Amino acid sequence: MTDTKNHSTAGVTGSPEGRVFQPGSFNELAEAVELAFDYRGDVTVSLKSGESISGYLFNRQVSGPDSYLEVFPSDSAETRRIRYDQIATIAFTGADTATGKSWETWVSKKDSERQIEVERVAAEARTRGIL
Amino acid sequence: MGVPISQMATVTKYVLSQKLSGVKRYPLVLMLEPLFRCNLACAGCGKIQYPDHVLDKRLTVEQCLAAAEECGAPIVSIPGGEPMIHPEMPAIVRGLVAQERYIYLCTNAILMERKLDEYQPSKFLTFSVHMDGLKDEHDLAVCRDGVYDVAVKAIKAALKRGHRVTTNTTLFDDANPERVRKFFDAMMDLGVEGMMISPGYSYQKAPDQQHFLKRERTRELFSRILGSPKKAWQFNQSPLFLDFLMGRREYECTPWGNPTYNVFGWQKPCYLLQEGYAKTFRELMESTEWDHYGTGRNEKCADCMVHCGYEPSAVEDTFGTLSGFGRTVKLTMLPTSR
């Protein structure tokens, strides 16, 4: 598989955020899809037809030539089902929402920094009317 | 008694009817997640790490009620996200009450007092308030000061209006048994109907990865907490599940016992693992490879002793074995005999 950062999925440690995978075989494609399924950010799936779909990959079904994945597009309420054989590349384009918030980081911050972060999260929640 | 007799009778009738019908796998509690958006970002939570456009998605009233009908479980637990953010939550609750399902509306209580007028007290509705300990422990767990006091105030307001209120508590390996016991005293003094406790699950996506409990440590911790229970303590869960947490009974996981429905569909295989989604409840039950899950079968299940997998096993023990039935009766009537 070709990865713009020259890594295969098997070698991916940490977040794949920012990477682009161009699978060379079905197995490589299946690996890339698994990585995207486990990713807590948006991906961009580029099709062989030239179309691109950006959104959250929430499901996949691997069964030979009938394999497909399902995406919640970021700009649509309807889910989109894409067959594996239509896919050219998978890019991890959205921010990984499950990184950068480690407990250790939180605890190691100074009280003042934590307070600022708490206020920022609270302000965002207030803006949404949920606090 | 932590669970009202009418609720116990409903569950008993349901389980016995499943057994008499020869149903091998049946759901006990539907975990209905109508949204993932929350107004907290707790350190041990792996449920809310999604892009904004996913956090903004909501199940509709119709989807929620159809899922409950399709699943058929007598109990519906509504976690999230924070369900009270959902603008149609009162309508969802009314619909589930009309279906005569026992509902546990799981909330951090930040919005609860403000929204209490939108809910009618009912024997079918319980506010299950997230409380992870006394003030210091709880505010640390939810990463925000003052939340404990807000929750206590909301609990008092709900009780005053005649609502059923329980607490739900997740414990991690830094829990202090003496402080937890004091916390139980404080909750019972508040007047809650009962408490629910569980060890945390090692969510791969949770920010805090170092405080999840291993099985031996879980047994040791819960033995110290529950070893000599006080008469006043009431638990809104199976006494055999508490035995399991203390290492006094061994169970296999029952992942189909608490099926989960959310904006992605029916989650395979359980509330905690996300291995894929089914379009229908029947598809979930028929297409999930259940034998691949549980302690000793799957590394993701290795340390899990969480209520959603093992409380259904405890209920199965109650209705499936004489020793289980006898011990359930004994501990229900004489909880301090543990």
Side-chain angles (χ1 to χ4, degrees), chain B residues 34-214:
Chain B
L35 79 173
F36 292 121
R37 172 78 70 187
C38 193
N39 46 10
L40 288 175
C42 305
C45 178
K47 284 280 181 184
I48 61 169
Q49 292 76 12
Y50 293 104
D52 266 344
H53 69 95
V54 174
L55 294 176
D56 286 338
K57 292 194 186 305
R58 314 273 186 263
L59 289 178
T60 64
V61 178
E62 293 73 23
Q63 285 176 308
C64 291
L65 301 185
E69 287 281 12
E70 188 185 359
C71 172
I75 299 173
V76 179
S77 179
I78 309 179
E82 167 53 46
M84 295 192 89
I85 291 172
H86 196 306
E88 293 181 293
M89 188 48 59
I92 293 169
V93 167
R94 280 195 301 275
L96 293 171
V97 168
Q99 292 182 4
E100 299 196 341
R101 300 190 197 280
Y102 285 90
I103 306 152
Y104 286 87
L105 184 54
C106 305
T107 176
N108 58 37
I110 288 175
L111 297 171
M112 188 167 138
E113 189 173 8
R114 204 187 308 171
K115 299 201 171 199
L116 271 181
D117 284 343
E118 299 172 21
Y119 299 88
Q120 287 293 315
S122 163
K123 70 173 183 178
F124 292 109
L125 171 63
T126 302
F127 288 101
S128 176
V129 179
H130 173 199
M131 294 292 251
D132 278 352
L134 292 165
K135 183 177 170 59
D136 289 350
E137 289 86 349
H138 184 63
D139 286 354
L140 182 66
V142 302
C143 301
R144 183 177 296 168
D145 288 340
V147 176
Y148 179 88
D149 291 337
V150 170
V152 165
K153 191 161 171 277
I155 287 171
K156 287 178 179 171
L159 289 170
K160 195 173 174 184
R161 292 177 195 219
H163 285 290
R164 292 180 62 190
V165 182
T166 60
T167 55
N168 70 76
T169 303
T170 305
L171 296 176
F172 299 90
D173 77 348
D174 55 349
N176 175 325
E178 277 312 304
R179 292 279 292 170
V180 176
R181 291 173 66 89
K182 284 179 183 167
F183 163 71
F184 290 167
D185 291 341
M187 292 302 102
M188 295 317 300
D189 286 347
L190 269 179
V192 300
E193 176 183 298
M195 303 175 286
M196 287 184 263
I197 54 174
S198 181
Y201 175 72
S202 312
Y203 286 112
Q204 290 178 325
K205 305 299 183 188
D208 181 1
Q209 288 293 318
Q210 70 177 15
H211 289 111
F212 290 119
L213 282 157
K214 304 292 180 193

Side-chain angles (χ1 to χ4, degrees), chain A residues 37-38 40 42 56 58-60 70 72-74 76 97-98 101-104 118 121-122 128 130-131, chain B residues 37 39 43 46 49-53 57 85 110 114 144 205 207-208 211 263-264 274-277 279:
Chain A
F37 174 71
D38 194 46
R40 290 291 187 94
D42 281 343
Y56 188 78
F58 72 96
N59 200 16
R60 79 284 183 244
E70 291 179 290
F72 263 127
S74 53
S76 163
T97 62
K101 295 175 184 172
S102 78
W103 179 247
E104 292 85 348
V118 164
V121 173
R128 293 179 183 277
I130 59 174
L131 191 64
Chain B
R37 172 78 70 187
N39 46 10
Q49 292 76 12
Y50 293 104
D52 266 344
H53 69 95
K57 292 194 186 305
I85 291 172
I110 288 175
R114 204 187 308 171
R144 183 177 296 168
K205 305 299 183 188
D208 181 1
H211 289 111
V263 295
F264 299 137
Q274 290 172 282
E275 305 273 308
Y277 289 87
K279 294 283 179 280

Side-chain angles (χ1 to χ4, degrees), chain B residues 235-248:
Chain B
F235 293 96
N236 204 277
Q237 56 196 146
S238 162
L240 297 190
F241 173 66
L242 301 182
D243 268 3
F244 166 73
L245 291 180
M246 298 167 74
R248 295 182 182 182

Side-chain angles (χ1 to χ4, degrees), chain B residues 10-19 21-32 66-77 101-102 254-261 266-267 269-271 280-282 284-286 290 307-309 311-313 315-316 319:
Chain B
T10 298
V11 172
T12 301
K13 186 178 164 192
Y14 170 79
V15 172
L16 292 178
S17 72
Q18 298 293 321
K19 287 190 163 297
S21 305
V23 181
K24 186 181 169 195
R25 297 188 179 110
Y26 55 87
L28 197 61
V29 179
L30 166 63
M31 306 297 283
L32 182 64
E69 287 281 12
E70 188 185 359
C71 172
I75 299 173
V76 179
S77 179
R101 300 190 197 280
Y102 285 90
T254 307
W256 56 85
N258 286 22
T260 300
Y261 182 71
W266 293 93
Q267 185 166 300
C270 69
Y271 176 62
T280 66
F281 178 68
R282 173 177 276 204
L284 169 79
M285 296 301 277
E286 292 178 352
W290 300 109
H307 64 96
C308 59
E311 188 137 18
S313 311
V315 171
E316 181 67 18
F319 293 103

